[in-house]
Amino acid sequence: MELKHIAISQLAVSPANMRWTAKKPDLTNILPSVRARGILVPLIVRPGTEDGSYEIVAGKRRYHAALTVAEEQDGIDPLPCAVMEAGDDAAALEASLIENIARLDPDEVSRCESFTRLAREGRSVEDIGLTFGLTGLQVKRTLAIGNLLPRIRGLYRAEKIDVVTMRHLTLATKAQQREWLGLVDCPEKHAPTGAQLKAWLFGGSAIAAKVAMFDVASYAGEIVSDLFGEDSYFADADAFWTAQMTEVEKQADFYRDSGWSEVVVMERGAHFNSWEHERCPKKKGGKVFVTVSHRGEVAFHEDYITSKEARQRAKGEAIDTPKPVRPEVSAALGNYIDLHRHAAVRASLLSDPGIALRMMVAHAIIGSPLWRVDVEKQRAASEAIAESVAVSASEAAFDKARRAVLDLLGFDRDTPHLVGGYDGEHGIAGLFVRLANLSDEAVMAILPVVMGETLAVSSAEVEMLGQLIGTDMKTCWQDDNVLPDLLRDKQVLTVVLAEVAGDDVAEANAEATAKVQRGILVDCLTGSNGRARVEGWDPRWFAFPPTGYTDRGGVGCVERSERIAPLFVPAPVEAEPEMLQAA
């Protein structure tokens, strides 16, 4: 038999069905189940006399129950069906008899657990489907439920949670399932259920893969498939937003390069209200307004100006529209800068566990985007940027310390992260026993690695730590390949060239192309083509505190450093900063 889902409009009861009569069957004991869970057991059908139609050989009551639910809910999903070959009525009647006599266990959870045991014993999804007459999708759904924590299955069996909640929990990791059970047990907290549960699982908003502007196939993050729906979801909202907004900026740059007067990327969640805008073609100064919903959906509204601007134009008044200021650095260059600064700062943490402890306590009390606890994934805008960070001295020093801690705690040495790397059966208690057997000095040596793994890239905390510890990137950064290629702004490139090669060289090549200037920069950094090698140079962006090369702004690390500057109080010479003395 072929297993497939068929629309209810294509089905009709066959005269070969053993329950075939003109009278509507009694649905008393089946209708509540169909309302709650849908059709679980496939109908047995065969091709009908008309193209695309099918006759129901077995499953008349399920079919009528589905019709009733479809009327109540204004529609129902296609029904699972096992399609027989077109044949004689005797074979169809035999199939109807077998199906009605031999039924699956009506206890859904028991069936889920049985299927899970079969899968663990080596039975494939296809094997299970053929044995029990289920489609591959139905088997996967059943296995997903069977893989839930036993207590969650018990709550559903005891009818303490509904089917929607149970299905959403199949999207959760084991850690999230345990966290949710902790909320169930806490009398002072509320465990989310239903639609609220899906939002809780995905950090406040479930973002479907279909809204991505970028190529999902090349996305490095985790995507969770909803076996009970048609969508897949991004497991890491922060990683999604980084990739999504990069694509939004690319599209905005395309509009600007195409001659649009302005591209306005509205605040996330803001609505574009047509009654607050009027149509205005591009050639007359029309703009592009970009809306980004909290669910990740992006829309571009072309040929508009605000109603205020339209009124000013009608009165002949000059419109005070500030000219868009291009940021000093591109998105990729900003990513490169932030990743290297982050790598350097967390390497600096290795020599100052006291500050690491204080930062850790602050995270525990206030919370941050990474403290559930999550590991910083150091997502790079390109493979070249990722490789430059991976081979840096900062990353090598941090990896060495991480492996030493993994050995100290008895973890697998090849575990990629210390945080989340413990897989003992006793959870927190098991790890606590190991830590209790270590000296204070050994435990303190673990803290910088934990803090480094959970320190967010592009954060004010990186700026603060770098300044407090005195991170010197000249001792751990050297790059004559990736950084020069990321320098695309002519004004910035000219100033950088003056820093590296000297004012005379920069002035002599001021009118040269950016490609020529980058070539000179590489020659100076590598000592090639007759130029003396420049040692110990790093960009202003890599200082602590950092500065920019122009007054245009748009450098993330500089802006974050300026925001925290008031927290630093001038200290006497050769004395620790006052804020650190207070600590």
Side-chain angles (χ1 to χ4, degrees):
M1 292 187 187
E2 178 187 7
L3 300 175
K4 62 192 300 185
H5 286 74
I6 300 174
I8 197 169
S9 60
Q10 297 175 253
L11 299 171
V13 180
S14 168
N17 189 298
M18 66 171 291
R19 297 182 185 273
W20 184 84
T21 60
K23 182 180 178 181
K24 184 177 179 179
D26 180 14
L27 306 176
T28 304
N29 65 342
I30 190 175
L31 189 56
S33 174
V34 174
R35 285 195 182 108
R37 300 180 178 86
I39 300 297
L40 298 177
V41 180
L43 287 67
I44 298 179
V45 302
R46 64 179 180 178
T49 56
E50 298 180 4
D51 289 343
S53 68
Y54 295 86
E55 296 180 349
I56 300 171
V57 174
K60 175 185 175 182
R61 291 205 308 144
R62 279 164 279 160
Y63 167 71
H64 279 280
L67 284 175
T68 302
V69 172
E71 293 176 358
E72 295 173 350
Q73 301 179 357
D74 194 24
I76 192 170
D77 292 335
L79 307 184
C81 297
V83 183
M84 301 176 58
E85 293 182 1
D88 60 30
D89 287 349
L93 181 58
E94 179 182 357
S96 179
L97 285 166
I98 293 172
E99 199 273 348
N100 280 280
I101 294 171
R103 295 192 181 275
L104 289 170
D105 189 333
D107 183 344
E108 182 178 3
V109 175
S110 296
R111 185 165 70 250
C112 294
E113 293 169 347
S114 299
F115 279 18
T116 302
R117 287 195 296 271
L118 287 173
R120 289 172 180 168
E121 292 172 3
R123 297 288 295 276
S124 68
V125 170
E126 293 75 14
D127 291 339
I128 296 173
L130 289 173
T131 300
F132 292 97
L134 300 175
T135 65
L137 178 59
Q138 285 180 303
V139 175
K140 290 178 181 178
R141 288 173 174 174
T142 304
L143 290 173
I145 295 171
N147 280 315
L148 289 171
L149 292 176
R151 188 177 165 206
I152 293 177
R153 299 198 302 267
L155 290 173
Y156 176 68
R157 181 181 274 130
E159 299 184 352
K160 293 184 178 180
I161 58 174
D162 59 21
V163 66
V164 175
T165 298
M166 182 183 66
R167 288 177 176 178
H168 286 339
L169 283 169
T170 64
L171 300 171
T173 63
K174 287 293 191 290
Q176 287 176 315
Q177 292 177 32
R178 285 191 287 268
E179 185 179 354
W180 183 82
L181 287 172
L183 295 177
V184 172
D185 293 335
C186 181
E188 299 177 357
K189 295 182 179 180
H190 169 70
T193 57
Q196 293 180 344
L197 174 58
K198 182 181 285 189
W200 178 81
L201 289 173
F202 294 103
S205 180
I207 302 175
K210 65 183 180 183
V211 305
M213 292 182 61
F214 51 87
D215 182 11
V216 175
S218 61
Y219 177 69
E222 182 182 359
I223 297 177
V224 180
S225 297
D226 184 358
L227 295 174
F228 297 92
E230 298 180 355
D231 292 326
S232 297
Y233 299 91
F234 292 98
D236 187 335
D238 291 337
F240 162 80
W241 283 115
T242 297
Q244 186 79 332
M245 295 312 296
T246 297
E247 291 300 318
V248 169
E249 287 301 324
K250 286 181 181 179
Q251 185 62 34
D253 287 341
F254 172 79
Y255 276 116
R256 296 185 186 104
D257 294 341
S258 300
W260 289 86
S261 63
E262 187 176 355
V263 180
V264 181
V265 181
M266 302 174 68
E267 184 178 351
R268 190 186 304 174
H271 295 280
F272 178 82
N273 298 317
S274 58
W275 60 86
E276 295 177 342
H277 300 79
E278 293 192 17
R279 283 282 187 179
C280 180
K282 172 183 173 182
K283 62 183 179 181
K284 292 186 179 181
K287 303 177 183 180
V288 179
F289 291 85
V290 186
T291 56
V292 184
S293 76
H294 290 298
R295 296 188 300 272
E297 300 154 324
V298 179
F300 296 86
H301 307 272
E302 302 176 359
D303 295 319
Y304 282 97
I305 57 175
T306 65
S307 298
K308 178 180 178 181
E309 290 172 330
R311 289 193 297 270
Q312 289 176 326
R313 291 188 181 192
K315 295 179 182 178
E317 299 177 4
I319 300 176
D320 183 18
T321 303
K323 183 179 179 180
V325 178
R326 187 174 76 256
E328 175 179 315
V329 299
S330 65
L333 178 52
N335 173 250
Y336 174 90
I337 294 166
D338 290 339
L339 282 173
H340 274 288
R341 291 173 63 80
H342 176 268
V345 167
R346 73 178 193 174
S348 300
L349 277 171
L350 301 174
S351 61
D352 213 323
I355 289 179
L357 177 61
R358 286 166 176 77
M359 181 60 73
M360 205 171 196
V361 172
H363 274 65
I365 294 175
I366 305 299
S368 82
L370 295 180
W371 269 66
R372 286 186 297 183
V373 174
D374 290 330
V375 174
E376 170 55 58
K377 295 181 176 61
Q378 294 180 287
R379 299 188 184 280
S382 69
E383 290 185 5
I385 294 176
E387 183 178 359
S388 73
V389 175
V391 301
S392 67
S394 300
E395 204 65 6
F398 193 85
D399 186 62
K400 180 180 179 181
R402 173 167 45 210
R403 289 178 181 274
V405 172
L406 290 173
D407 288 342
L408 179 66
L409 293 175
F411 290 11
D412 184 347
R413 186 174 175 80
D414 293 326
T415 299
H417 304 292
L418 173 62
V419 175
Y422 178 71
D423 59 358
E425 61 179 357
H426 297 296
I428 294 175
L431 181 57
F432 174 80
V433 171
R434 297 188 185 185
L435 292 171
N437 292 325
L438 300 177
S439 65
D440 290 347
E441 182 180 2
V443 174
M444 288 294 289
I446 296 172
L447 293 178
V449 176
V450 176
M451 188 61 249
E453 286 192 345
T454 57
L455 180 62
V457 170
S458 306
S459 66
E461 291 77 20
V462 170
E463 309 305 322
M464 177 174 288
L465 289 172
Q467 294 183 49
L468 285 175
I469 298 172
T471 299
D472 182 3
M473 294 194 61
K474 290 181 180 179
T475 64
C476 57
W477 173 85
Q478 184 177 357
D479 183 8
D480 53 30
N481 182 23
V482 180
L483 175 62
D485 187 58
L486 289 170
L487 292 172
R488 301 288 177 172
D489 188 284
K490 193 68 161 46
Q491 182 182 1
V492 174
L493 188 54
T494 300
V495 181
V496 170
L497 187 61
E499 277 189 351
V500 176
D503 293 334
D504 292 341
V505 175
E507 185 176 349
N509 292 276
E511 301 302 322
T513 64
K515 182 178 180 180
V516 171
Q517 290 183 331
R518 284 196 296 272
I520 297 173
L521 179 61
V522 172
D523 290 343
C524 292
L525 294 175
T526 59
S528 304
N529 296 322
R531 297 187 184 276
R533 181 170 182 172
V534 176
E535 303 280 359
W537 172 82
D538 61 357
R540 298 177 188 176
W541 306 309
F542 282 178
F544 285 94
T547 56
Y549 284 94
T550 70
D551 58 1
R552 302 203 311 263
V555 186
C557 62
V558 174
E559 294 173 353
R560 291 188 293 271
S561 182
E562 290 173 348
R563 286 200 295 270
I564 66 170
L567 300 176
F568 290 87
V569 179
V573 178
E574 297 185 356
E576 292 183 325
E578 186 172 322
M579 65 181 293
L580 198 53
Q581 291 176 343

